[in-house]
Structures are given as structure tokens and as C-alpha cells.
Amino acid sequence: MTIPSAEGFLPAASCLPCTAEEERAAVEALTRDAEANVKDGDLRYLVSQSWWTNWQSYVGLLSYGENDTDIPLQPTSRPGEIDNRKLVSEENSSGSEEQELQRTLREGEDYTLVPPEVWRKLYDWYKGGPAISRKVICEDPTSRRYIVDVYPLHLALIDERDSSSRTIKLSRKAKVHELYRLVCSILSVEQSKIRLWDYYQKTKNKELANQSETLEEAQLTMDQEILLEVSVDYTWSSDLAPRCTNNEFALVPLEPSTSSFSIAGGPNISNGYSSRIGSSLPQDNHFNPLLRDTEDGYSGFSNGTKDEIHGLTGLHNLGNTCFMNSAIQSLVHTPPLVEYFLKDYTQEINTDNPLGLQGELAVAFAELLRKLWSAGRTSVPPRAFKSKLSRFAPQFSGYNQHDSQELLAFLLDGLHEDLNRVKKKPYIEAKDADDRPDEEFAEECWNDHKARNDSIIVDKFQGQYKSTLVCPECNKISVTFDPFMYLSLPLPSTVTRMMTVTVFSGTGEFLPMPYTVTVQKNGACRDLFKALSDACCLNDSETLLLAEVYDYRIYRYFSPSELLHSIKDGDQLVAYKLPVGHEKLLRVEILHRKVDRFTSEPQFSISRKLIGSPLVTCIPVDSTSKVDVYAAVSAVLAPFVRAKVHPPGDSMLNGSGPSLDGIVLTDNGASCEKGLSTSNVDEAITDAELLPFNLYLSDDKGHVRNPIDEDSNHVLGPTMRLLMDWSVREHEIYNLKYMEDLPDVFKPGFMSKKTRQEAVNLFSCLDAFLKDEPLGPDDMWYCPSCKEHRQASKKLDLWRLPEILVVHLKRFSYSRYMKNKLDTFVNFPIHHLDMSKYAKHTSRGDQPPIYELYSVINHYGGLGGGHYSAYAKLVEEDNWYHFDDSHVSSVNEEETRTSAAYLLFYRRVDGNSCPMSEDVPVDTDMVDSPEA
């Protein structure tokens, strides 16, 4: 796809600047018109979300509200030029017109999508870029559902003739015949003389012969290989070599297990199958995954000599599929599901359920589970499962990052409908309690639910809520009992966040020092300025200049009114300590470039590589000679001088550079210099051979390198940008390590004991979930007594608890004004989670509802660019493992408790299923434990 150049959007004559209100009205009108007439093949342009948020703030509209209502916001200053550099991958090939994106971007967090007409307007008003466009594709022709193909499919085309490789890009919705046409066009060959093969993992899996299916239906995944085969005299090389077929592998017999290992007290497992029920597997291949286990180019059988332990198989990341992999690993390590799907489950497949997927999702999941429980494997590519998932759940198609909890909810519901034992659901009219006892009414509601929903998922995963609504006017009480599949627990509201900023001296007084401060999450940068000022003991004559560093450059400066939610945890912030009133001086930015002294000038652009962190200082606007510039830079570099090179107390350049301490700003903005003189600077400074470093005038990207004039160096705007060369000589004089490896604003991970004790626990989350609270104004309840909608109070109770309890920690908070992730550490029990306090009814006699943790899904990072992994326990082995896509490693039990925990999987235990050992540790460090 060719992306139009941004320059082509500029009119012949630049228009006059628009007001904020005019910009807003123009963008809204253009957006409405474009969305009303969207069609397949249209373009949408990506715009940096941080820039877009600033623009929305500037025009007085942070986001669109519900029903197209506007949300006013206090206007801020006009944003600078559009800066999409953070969206673009550093691996962009030179000369390529299409911008390659970072692989972990998420819409609404890293970028927003705008129509071409809006992009033209924004570019005309603000300039910048680069322009990044992507095509609109029709996801579902029936419902006319359109999506933007932000990440087109990348395929590595391997030419069998010379083993050469080249990357081709197509939409995943493109047909196979379009792929053939593109290959023929690139290589100038006739289509009748070529064949294309799915060459995943350098193995000929299948020929791409169905010209009418899409690349997604053909199970081609991001970055995989396809093989080009060219006939010679109408002979194909693949016809000359013998190939194994699926049927050949199907004849391999199952070997008896040599291990006593079993799962959840079930039958022994051999090669991923039960030795007790292996002979009862149906001979019909339609629903028999055994005969199709060689898919993706590998066999599912092993003699057991490589690995005696089952269940330690990783999953390939097919392109931002870590969200899917983590959910799958947690489910395939759920003991009841393992036992169920290793047996002959096919008799329970419901192909007639209109709410199901005709059994295809259940079969795909079962095939994958059996592969993961086969011995002798390191990792499995879940391509067939991903293809089925994309077909039935288009929201998870493509290669964008998604929410693991949303996938888990869909997967459990889809498996339930595919395995629903009820072939014809009866109609059951909703009933009222009519003042009957809770036990009687709850049992009736549960039986009604089971009459329509009866599956392994309901048996193991579903519980029952009691919901009580009270009318605030007539006190009418309405009680209902509803099923639930998991608990979505809110985290007790945390209003602060920790932010780390590295403070640099703009006057050369000290080495950089990182400071971690606590600020209000919904605050502004002025709050961060205040906290940093207190932390680094700023005096009345000093102030801080806050900036974000990205790609070794100043990415943006922050104004005091800018909101803190625009700063992500993965950003790198610096603050430069400067004199009060520095705005009236000439700001000097110093970029650093690694350079080879022997590199010739024409090779400058090729060998350029920025390093370190930018430095910032200030000089008077009328002191821009070479002597002044070098003296100012030498002063700010003074703390980095290696002691063995220069004695303490003796600065470079004779220490005679202009001191910022001697600058006094008058009321009219003029500056006078008190005792400031450069006359005693050694005249040898002008001799380049004697200078301690080399400086050049540059631009904000470090792309320009112009010599510094001896007398005066006029610059446009308030900033002079310099480029400093770092060769062996500079490294011998200055220590660059203090400018490297800036810390992130916040790095989630293992929390210290102190932080853990200040955090919340799982019981606090349960209490917040079950507390009595009024309904929102948009969620009014119709009172049958008042005959009006009322803002009733609602109280939830847990009535019936499931065998498998899934707990979702709601770390992602969404509001009209912002989206955020809570990195609060939640202290949850690994052993002996006692739910007696919360269970209003038990069906197991007097046995308390006690749960053991067996899996955790983690989410690392912020809303955009995050990563999922899973911890899972092999129950019979009693060991924990970390499943990070294809990598599987052993972990200690305590390592599973981190601030990244997102989904918790508990298994109910009692005296019959899994007796508690006296040696099992009880979590005594749980803070605010529930009362007995």
C-alpha cells in the first residue's frame, strides 16, 4: 500500500490560523461525514494519542461523550507539531514509503484513527508527522462491520530456487489468489508455474491451493514463512520427494505410560491421552483430534524419553497473542478441564445450539489442550485455534493487543454453548420471590438456569449471586438470583501514583539524580513540579524544566497545566534545574552522538547514532559566540569529568565560562551579567585541536551538523540545539554512564515488603464488590410498586460458590476523561482462601468453602504496549511454572504474588478431593484479613 505524502495535502497558499472553536467544529463535521460514508478500501491515519489528547484539551473537548454529547474541559495552550515518531518502529527500512509501526500499539492508548480529511486539516494547521495511513477493511459484510487494518499481515516469501527471502505485506482479509497475483508481480513469473506453501517453522505444512479463502482462513500468521515453488519443465520438486502424511502419523500406536503422574486424581496420561479411555475414542475422524495432531508440521506423539512431565509446553506468540496464550495456559491447567478433554468428550458436543459455534470451538480447544499435554514438546503454535477464534469472535482477529479477561469470558461462554447438554432449551418465565425463603427461591432459580444451561463449564465454573434492590421511595425490595462465571472485583480506589524523574543540573553543579515522588493521579504537572522541588531542595532562585526523553532526544516539554494522565509509566522523564526566569534566556539543548574519528564527512548521516541523555543549560541571548557556547557546555559537563583526567576544583576551559549564577534578570526581560566575563578565556579555545570536545549547531533530531561561528550564532526561536561528538577522546575525559539508562516513570514488578504492607488485599476487594451502593443515574431501576424508574440501592451477595473460582482484578479504570491502569499490589492467599464469610449458602454440608490457587494471569506495563504471561501449578507435582509464550520456567510459589496479577484461578478443596496437609503454609501476612 502506498501512503500519500503529507506534503501533498498542503494548499497552494497557507490559510490563516483558525481559532480553537473553528478547529473543533471542522474536525467534528469532517469526522461525521467520513464515518457516515465509510467503505472498504478507505484510509485512516494514525495520530499520536498524547498529541491528540492535547489537541482535544486545547479545543475544549477531551473526548466525545455518550449520545454524541460533548464533554467540556478547561482549554490549554495550543499543541506543537504532530509527533508520531513514537508510533514508528526503529526498524523502518530506508526508502520505504510505508511506515512500520511498533508492534504493541493499542488504539485509544497509543494512537487514534482519523479520516484523511481530518488528517489534512490537522497537518495544514500543525505540520509534523510522519504520515501513517492504514486501510479500512470489511470485517463482516452481513453486518457491514468495518475495522482498520492497522497491522497488515507480514509474510516472509522464501524462494526455493535460491533460498532468498523477502517480506510481503497484505491484509489478512486478502484472498489467496491476491497473494499469488502479488508474488507473480514481484518476481515476474506466470501463476501457472508457481505453487505457494504454508512454510511455518521451515516445514511444508500444506499447499495454498484454495484460491477463494482469505489468508486468515488459511491460518497464515504474522511474520511466518511461505515457500515459493517454481516448476521446471512442468515438474515440481515437492512431487519428487516423499512426504509423510497425517495418516502415517495416525498409525503410530499409543505407548503405555512409564510415569505414575496423573492430574487431579484422574487416570494416568500417556502422550496426552487417558490410557483408560484411549480405546473408546470414536473412529469417526470428524471430531477426533487424535488423527489430526500433525497439523502445523509436527507430530503429537512421543515415546516419553524426552520429557516424563506433561503440561510444560509453551505457546508461540503469533503476533501480539500473549493475551490469548496466557488465558489458554490457565484453562489447560485447570484440572477438571484437563480430565474432561482428555476423555471422549465428543458425545456432549451440541451442533444444533444456535448460540454455540457448532462444536468447532470446543474441538479446536480440545486439540490444543491435548497437544499441550503431550510429552516431548517445547512449544506449540496455536494457529488453528487462533483461526477458529478469529472466525467466531472477530473482535479478537488481527494482531492488535487485547484484554485477556475479555478473551477468557468469551472462551468460557463459547465452550459452554458448544458443550451444552440441553439440546432444546425450554421457555421459562421469570418469577418473583413473593416473600419466599431465600433458600427455596434460590434453588428454584438455579434449577431453572440448569434446565437451559448444563455443561462442564456450568458444573465447574458457575456460581450464583443474590442481588437485592431497595427502592428509596417506597422501600420495595426486589431479590433475584443470577449465575456468574467469574468475579470482577474493583480495587479500592487509589488516588496517587509514584513517579520517578531524573534531575539534571543546568549549571553543572551535580551529577544526575533520580527522585521518586508521590503525586495525585488526576493532578497536573504543577503537582509533580512541587513534589520534585521539595525532594531536591530547590531554593527560591531555582526552578525545574520538565521534559520527556525519547530516542536520546527531548521529545516534549511539559507545562504546569498539563495533566499527569498523559504521562505513561513507561515514559522517561528528566527535570533540569535552572535559574528562575530562564525563559528569557536562550535555552541550549545538547545532544550526544557516537562518532568514529575516522569517519569521513559524507558518511555522517550513515554513521550517526545518538547516545546518552540530552543536557540543557541557558546563556544570555547576546552571548552566542563560540567562546560563550563552549564555555557554557563545558560548565554543564563539569560533573561528568573523570577525576583522573582533571584535578578536583579545576574545571575545563580554565573554569572561565559564563556562570548562570551571575545572571540577573530585570523586570523588562533584559539581562545583565554581574561579574560575568569571558575575557580571560584562553584564546587557544578557538583551535579545534585543543578543544576538549567538538560541538556543532544542529536541529531537534540531530540530523543537521553545522559549524559554530566564532563571533555570533543566531538561531530561530528560543532554543539553540547543539550536537556533541563522542569519540575515544571524549570518553576518556567524561563519564557518559551517568547520562545513560534513564529509569522509567514507574516500573511494575515485584514489590518490596514495605510496599506490600501498604497495599490492599483480596478481602478488601471482595468487601468493595459486595458493599451496598446506589445505582448510577444511567442505570435506574423500574420499581414495580412506584411504577417509575428509581435510583435504587443495590447489594450483592455470593450465594452459591463454584468449584473453580476465577477472580478478575479490575486494574483498568475507564472514565470519560481518561483511561488508566492501577498497579496496586493486591495481597492474595495462595493456600486456604476461606470464603466462609462471604458464602451465604453452601451445598456441601458443613464443609467450609476453602480454595487453593493454581493459576495467575499477569499483565505487565501500561494500557498500551503491555504484556501478558501466566503462572500455573502442576497440581499433582505441586510445583509452579511461568508460561511466557513459548518460554516455560520453574518459579517459586511466592514469586506468583506480584503487582502484575490480573486474573486469579482458585480450585475448591475439601476432605474428599484434596485433603489439606498440615505442612501447607497459611498466609499469615495477609493484611486486613476477614473477621471470623
Side-chain angles (χ1 to χ4, degrees), residues 469-471 476 478 775 779-784 788-790 792:
L469 291 170
V470 180
C471 177
K476 163 71 177 178
S478 173
L775 296 175
D779 191 24
M780 305 280 274
W781 171 64
Y782 182 78
C783 176
E788 291 186 23
H789 284 89
R790 301 294 189 188

Side-chain angles (χ1 to χ4, degrees), residues 156-164 166 168 179-180 183-184 186-191 193-199 204 208 225-231 236-237:
L157 177 64
I158 310 296
D159 193 331
E160 191 180 49
R161 296 170 295 181
D162 57 6
S163 299
S164 61
R166 69 185 69 204
I168 57 178
L179 175 61
Y180 270 90
V183 172
C184 292
I186 294 174
L187 299 179
S188 301
V189 294
E190 297 180 20
Q191 184 168 335
K193 294 184 178 181
I194 68 169
R195 291 200 301 202
L196 295 177
W197 292 79
D198 178 348
Y199 200 50
K204 278 187 177 180
L208 301 176
E225 297 91 351
I226 56 174
L227 183 68
L228 169 67
E229 187 180 14
V230 181
S231 67
W236 305 94
S237 61

Side-chain angles (χ1 to χ4, degrees), residues 465 487-493 760-773 794-798 807-809 826-827 833-840 926-932:
Y465 288 131
L487 300 179
S488 287
L489 305 185
L491 272 61
S493 180
V760 299
N761 66 29
L762 188 61
F763 299 114
S764 302
C765 300
L766 279 165
D767 291 337
F769 174 68
L770 298 173
K771 71 178 181 180
D772 193 342
E773 60 183 3
K794 183 176 182 179
K795 174 72 169 70
L796 287 177
D797 291 295
L798 300 180
V807 178
H808 168 222
L809 302 176
V826 178
N827 199 359
L833 170 61
D834 190 348
M835 295 291 289
S836 301
K837 172 186 175 182
Y838 303 100
K840 299 302 180 183
M926 289 288 292
V927 293
D928 300 325
S929 297
E931 299 175 359

Side-chain angles (χ1 to χ4, degrees), residues 156 197-206 219-227 295-298 315-319 379-383:
W197 292 79
D198 178 348
Y199 200 50
Y200 189 81
Q201 291 192 315
K202 299 290 194 299
T203 302
K204 278 187 177 180
N205 297 298
K206 66 177 179 179
Q219 299 182 20
L220 298 183
T221 57
M222 182 69 82
D223 297 324
Q224 80 154 80
E225 297 91 351
I226 56 174
L227 183 68
E295 179 189 359
D296 292 325
Y298 57 83
L315 287 165
H316 292 191
N317 191 317
L318 304 178
S379 60
V380 167
R383 299 199 302 160

Side-chain angles (χ1 to χ4, degrees), residues 41 338 379 520:
V338 176
S379 60
Q520 297 291 316

